[in-house]
């Protein structure tokens, strides 16, 4: 099963994903606002909840890729030639651009050996870790397609259950640092981003092609999402109260229980709506620009950060300023890459 026409529901999901990617990187400007607030209060709780929710960004992108790729039939040679080589070239080119920019800023000299070392260790730009992860996913693609060919409702639910079980074992091990679980080290492979989320994306999409969600399924998904969000947010708060530190040890746990409801509810809701051709085209344009926005985020923000500062000076509400700033970054990136992608060679890679 694979897509043979444009699906606006997937475009909306991709836009949601890039929004949370940008939000993740805002730190004290947005995602970590609560670290500068006094514990307690609705705003404080809301900010922790947003920081917990934004962890779905990369899993959501990988679910979308699983939706689009796992149902296709391609040779290993084709995957290497067309898919792996594309991402590898993008990684090298943009890593060098980022390295050159850093050298230029520091007024230093370019070193080939330094670039190779930083590229190999993934330390040129931290946010590019996703490209390394995506390469791993593409290398696993032939095997994942074989697994996906057996995907059904029971296997889909089973994958979520063992992922959650693995997270429970990890949570226990974290809370009791002297308690080692050998079994956890082996079963945790299921939670590997390059393995878990593409399969969940394909499974969710396949399920949604068979039927629309019933109101009972909506209730179950919403309850599952709410309990997980509140639970992980409380763990963040509890760790601060008991240990005096904010960490991300709990934010990224049980992500499957957050991202699957988001994927399924948004997809089902959007496909029920009548979307005009013009609006669908706009969604597609923004969606097609998401990869470029991710790669050039820091360059775009050199301009949109002024908007953040402007809003802060007017109302002094960080979260509002952050959201406006992110939307402006997405719009600027869309305007630029919708033009840049008209260049044939560039369009092939972006």
């Amino acid at each position: 099963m694979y897509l043979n026409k444009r699906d606006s529901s997937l475009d909306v999901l991709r836009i949601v994903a890039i929004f949370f990617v940008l939000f993740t990187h805002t730190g004290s400007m947005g995602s970590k606002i609560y670290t500068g607030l006094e514990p307690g209060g609705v705003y404080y709780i809301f900010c922790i909840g947003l920081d917990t929710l934004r962890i779905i960004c990369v899993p959501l992108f990988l679910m979308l890729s699983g939706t689009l790729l796992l149902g296709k039939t391609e040779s290993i040679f084709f995957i290497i030639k067309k898919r792996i080589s594309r991402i590898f070239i993008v990684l090298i080119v943009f890593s060098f651009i980022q390295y050159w920019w850093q050298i230029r800023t520091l007024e230093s000299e370019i070193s080939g050996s330094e670039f190779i070392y930083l590229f190999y260790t993934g330390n040129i730009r931290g946010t590019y870790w996703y490209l390394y992860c995506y390469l791993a996913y593409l290398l696993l693609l032939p095997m994942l397609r074989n697994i996906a060919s057996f995907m059904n409702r029971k296997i889909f639910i089973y994958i979520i259950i063992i992922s959650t079980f693995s997270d429970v074992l990890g949570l226990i091990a974290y809370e009791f640092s002297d308690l080692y679980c050998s079994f956890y080290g082996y079963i945790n492979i299921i939670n590997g981003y390059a393995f878990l989320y593409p399969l969940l994306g394909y499974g969710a999409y396949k399920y949604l092609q068979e039927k629309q969600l019933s109101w009972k399924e909506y209730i179950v998904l919403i309850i599952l999402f709410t309990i997980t969000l509140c639970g992980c947010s409380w763990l963040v708060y509890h760790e601060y109260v008991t240990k005096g530190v904010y960490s991300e040890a709990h934010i990224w746990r049980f992500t499957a229980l957050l991202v699957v409801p988001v994927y399924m509810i948004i997809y089902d809701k959007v496909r029920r709506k009548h979307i005009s051709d013009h609006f669908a085209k706009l969604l597609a344009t923004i969606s097609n620009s998401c990869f470029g926005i991710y790669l050039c985020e820091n360059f775009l923000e050199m301009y949109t950060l002024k908007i953040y500062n402007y809003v802060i000076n007017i109302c002094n509400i960080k979260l509002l300023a952050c959201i406006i700033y992110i939307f402006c970054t997405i719009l600027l990136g869309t305007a630029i890459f919708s033009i840049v992608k008209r260049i044939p060679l560039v369009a092939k890679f972006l």
Side-chain angles (χ1 to χ4, degrees):
M1 176 186 293
Y2 65 93
L3 293 170
N4 55 15
K5 63 178 181 179
R6 192 87 192 188
D7 190 334
S8 293
S9 299
L10 299 181
D11 287 330
V12 171
L13 284 166
R14 189 173 289 108
I15 294 168
V16 170
I18 193 63
F19 175 88
F20 280 116
V21 165
L22 298 179
F23 183 70
T24 295
H25 301 154
T26 55
S28 60
M29 292 167 46
S31 63
K32 299 298 182 184
I33 286 177
Y34 61 91
T35 61
L37 302 174
E38 287 294 323
V42 175
Y43 186 59
Y44 172 83
I45 295 171
F46 181 73
C47 288
I48 289 184
L50 270 181
D51 194 33
T52 302
L53 178 59
R54 56 88 184 170
I55 205 68
I56 70 171
C57 59
V58 170
L60 197 53
F61 269 126
L62 289 168
M63 286 183 72
L64 289 167
S65 187
T67 297
L68 294 167
L69 296 185
L70 290 189
K72 291 186 176 182
T73 301
E74 297 168 340
S75 68
I76 293 177
F77 177 76
F78 180 89
I79 293 172
I80 295 172
K81 181 181 178 181
K82 297 295 184 180
R83 301 200 183 280
I84 294 175
S85 62
R86 168 181 171 257
I87 297 300
F88 188 69
I89 290 171
V90 167
L91 180 57
I92 290 178
V93 170
F94 279 89
S95 292
F96 183 78
I97 291 172
Q98 295 287 352
Y99 173 71
W100 172 81
W101 183 259
Q102 293 172 18
I103 292 298
R104 179 178 178 274
T105 303
L106 297 173
E107 297 182 351
S108 184
E109 293 184 359
I110 293 179
S111 168
S113 59
E114 181 185 41
F115 171 74
I116 292 172
Y117 173 79
L118 292 174
F119 177 80
Y120 182 79
T121 57
N123 287 318
I124 293 178
R125 179 163 171 78
T127 59
Y128 281 4
W129 71 267
Y130 171 72
L131 295 177
Y132 292 87
C133 173
Y134 196 74
L135 277 173
Y137 156 61
L138 292 177
L139 289 168
L140 293 172
L141 192 54
M143 293 172 284
L144 290 176
R145 280 176 171 164
N146 285 329
I147 297 173
S149 66
F150 295 98
M151 183 66 71
N152 56 36
R153 183 172 178 270
K154 289 182 179 179
I155 293 177
F156 176 67
I157 294 174
Y158 175 73
I159 292 174
I160 296 175
I161 290 173
I162 58 175
S163 169
T164 304
F165 176 60
S166 176
D167 276 329
V168 170
L169 293 180
L171 180 62
I172 294 171
Y174 180 80
E175 292 297 330
F176 304 95
S177 56
D178 58 336
L179 185 61
Y180 176 74
C181 176
S182 181
F183 180 57
Y184 171 69
Y186 296 103
I187 195 174
N188 193 48
I189 190 174
I190 188 66
N191 277 335
Y193 274 31
F195 176 85
L196 174 64
Y197 296 109
L199 286 175
L200 287 180
Y202 181 78
Y205 178 78
K206 185 176 181 181
Y207 180 78
L208 290 169
Q209 298 312 296
E210 297 171 356
K211 57 176 295 215
Q212 291 186 339
L213 293 178
S214 66
W215 65 269
K216 291 182 180 179
E217 289 172 315
Y218 265 98
I219 291 174
V220 170
L221 289 171
I222 291 171
I223 290 175
L224 192 64
F225 171 84
T226 303
I227 291 175
T228 305
L229 184 67
C230 292
C232 291
S233 299
W234 182 84
L235 287 171
V236 173
Y237 167 76
H238 178 70
E239 184 176 35
Y240 176 74
V241 171
T242 56
K243 300 180 181 178
V245 296
Y246 287 110
S247 75
E248 296 198 350
H250 301 301
I251 285 179
W252 54 266
R253 296 193 192 279
F254 309 109
T255 306
L257 298 181
L258 284 177
V259 70
V260 168
V262 168
Y263 180 105
M264 297 187 75
I265 290 174
I266 291 179
Y267 185 92
D268 192 64
K269 279 291 185 183
V270 174
R271 73 173 172 179
R272 291 172 187 250
K273 302 292 184 182
H274 173 70
I275 299 177
S276 67
D277 292 340
H278 292 297
F279 190 57
K281 186 176 180 180
L282 174 62
L283 290 174
T285 301
I286 299 174
S287 176
N288 288 338
S289 302
C290 285
F291 191 38
I293 292 171
Y294 157 72
L295 291 170
C296 299
E297 173 189 352
N298 56 323
F299 300 124
L300 296 172
E301 289 172 348
M302 288 190 298
Y303 300 96
T304 56
L305 188 59
K306 298 175 182 178
I307 296 173
Y308 173 85
N309 294 327
Y310 178 75
V311 177
I312 282 290
N313 290 332
I314 294 176
C315 64
N316 198 32
I317 302 176
K318 277 190 173 183
L319 187 57
L320 176 62
C322 179
I323 292 173
I324 293 174
Y325 149 74
I326 290 173
F327 277 121
C328 289
T329 302
I330 292 173
L331 291 175
L332 177 61
T334 299
I336 292 173
F337 287 103
S338 61
I339 297 173
V340 170
K341 289 191 68 167
R342 294 179 182 178
I343 304 172
L345 183 62
V346 175
K348 181 180 178 181
F349 292 95
L350 296 182

